[in-house]
């Protein structure tokens, strides 16, 4: 077993304290970033497809819709096919039925003009 100097002990204790403070904040930041299709685009969950027909739900899958875009510079919010809703609410799309996350994306994305 190695002996820690008082200085080393205090430095490690300070690091542990900083990690304890920063850890939850970092985790919260990660959780708000985005998970594909699982609700995550800015904390808004637009993945409820329970009101859709099987064909409508299949269209979302076929066009690779995700609730949080991973394509740089392309989100539903800047897609010409996006139908905006009130701030903090899911929008719509002229191609895909059901709730659409402004931070989402699908393979039919087209730049808004
Ligand atoms: Fe979003 Fe795709 Fe609809 Fe554009 S076409 S608004 S990228 S779901």
């Amino acid at each position: 077993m190695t002996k820690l100097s008082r200085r080393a002990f205090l430095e490690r204790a300070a690091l542990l304290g900083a990690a304890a403070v920063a850890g939850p904040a970092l985790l919260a930041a990660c959780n708000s970033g985005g998970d594909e299709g699982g609700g995550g685009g800015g904390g808004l969950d637009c993945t409820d497809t329970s009101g859709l027909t099987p064909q409508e739900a299949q269209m979302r899958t076929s066009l690779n819709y995700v609730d949080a875009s991973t394509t740089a510079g392309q989100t539903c919010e800047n897609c010409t096919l996006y139908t905006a809703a009130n701030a903090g609410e899911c929008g719509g799309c002229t191609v895909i039925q059901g709730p659409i996350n402004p931070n989402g994306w699908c393979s039919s994305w087209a730049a808004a003009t």
Side-chain angles (χ1 to χ4, degrees), residues 7 16 22 30 45 54 63 79 90-92:
R7 180 186 188 111
L16 284 173
C30 288
D45 185 352
L63 294 178
C79 173
C90 300

Side-chain angles (χ1 to χ4, degrees), residues 65 75-76 79 81-82 92-93 95-96 100 105-106 108-110:
Y65 174 77
T75 63
C76 292
C79 173
L81 304 168
Y82 182 66
C93 173
V95 174
I96 293 179
I100 300 294
W105 181 89
C106 89
S108 286
W109 182 90

Side-chain angles (χ1 to χ4, degrees), residues 4-74:
L4 278 180
S5 69
R6 177 181 167 89
R7 180 186 188 111
F9 173 78
L10 291 174
E11 285 174 354
R12 290 183 186 183
L15 279 175
L16 284 173
V21 171
L26 289 171
L27 285 174
C30 288
N31 287 338
S32 68
D35 50 319
E36 291 185 7
L44 188 61
D45 185 352
C46 303
T47 59
D48 181 8
T49 57
S50 59
L52 302 181
T53 66
Q55 292 79 13
E56 290 169 338
Q58 179 58 41
M59 177 68 95
R60 290 170 77 98
T61 303
S62 298
L63 294 178
N64 304 306
Y65 174 77
V66 290
D67 216 35
S69 175
T70 57
T71 306
Q74 296 183 7

